Amino acid sequence: MPAYIVFTRIKTLNIKELEIYWAMIQETMKGYPIEVLVPYGNFEVLEGREIEGIVIARFPNMESAKDWYNSKPYQKAAKHRQEGALYDGILVEGIISN
C-alpha cells in the first residue's frame, strides 16, 4: 500500500537554515521512490493550529518511506530543517479501494 510523509511547518526560526535544507533536499531523493505531491502549495487550515506550509510525499510503502527518511543524506539535511523551523512530521499508510 502507498505511504505518505506529511510535513507541516509550524514556525520559521532561521530562514538561512531552511535555505540550506531546501538546497540539499533534491539530492536526498536520488535513488528513492519518492513523489512529492504537494510542495508548499496553497492551503487553508480548516481546523487546528495555524501553519506556514505543508509538504506531502508519496512512497510505494511504509518501508521505502522510512528508508528515505532514515537515510544518511536525508538526516544530514534534516538537521538544517530542524534548526530552521518547527515542523510536525507524520508517516501514514494509504488505503487502496476499488
Side-chain angles (χ1 to χ4, degrees), residues 4-10 49 55 69 81 86-92:
Y4 302 86
I5 290 182
V6 180
F7 283 111
T8 55
R9 189 173 73 228
I10 308 306
R49 63 185 170 177
V55 174
Y69 179 81
R81 178 181 53 76
L86 299 176
Y87 274 83
D88 286 334
I90 300 167
L91 173 59
V92 60

Side-chain angles (χ1 to χ4, degrees), residues 14-83:
N14 183 330
I15 192 65
K16 291 182 191 254
E17 287 292 327
L18 281 182
E19 289 171 350
I20 293 168
Y21 171 73
W22 293 330
M24 295 174 74
I25 194 66
Q26 289 295 324
E27 190 67 27
T28 74
M29 295 181 195
K30 290 183 179 176
Y32 291 93
I34 181 173
E35 180 183 3
V36 178
L37 302 175
V38 179
Y40 288 107
N42 292 327
F43 66 90
E44 179 179 345
V45 176
L46 299 175
E47 293 185 27
R49 63 185 170 177
E50 290 297 316
I51 65 170
E52 295 178 352
I54 185 167
V55 174
I56 302 173
R58 178 172 49 204
F59 294 82
N61 51 50
M62 297 280 276
E63 183 179 346
S64 62
K66 288 179 187 179
D67 286 347
W68 170 75
Y69 179 81
N70 291 318
S71 70
K72 286 183 182 180
Y74 182 72
Q75 285 303 305
K76 183 177 178 181
K79 290 178 183 179
H80 296 284
R81 178 181 53 76
Q82 294 158 354
E83 290 292 321

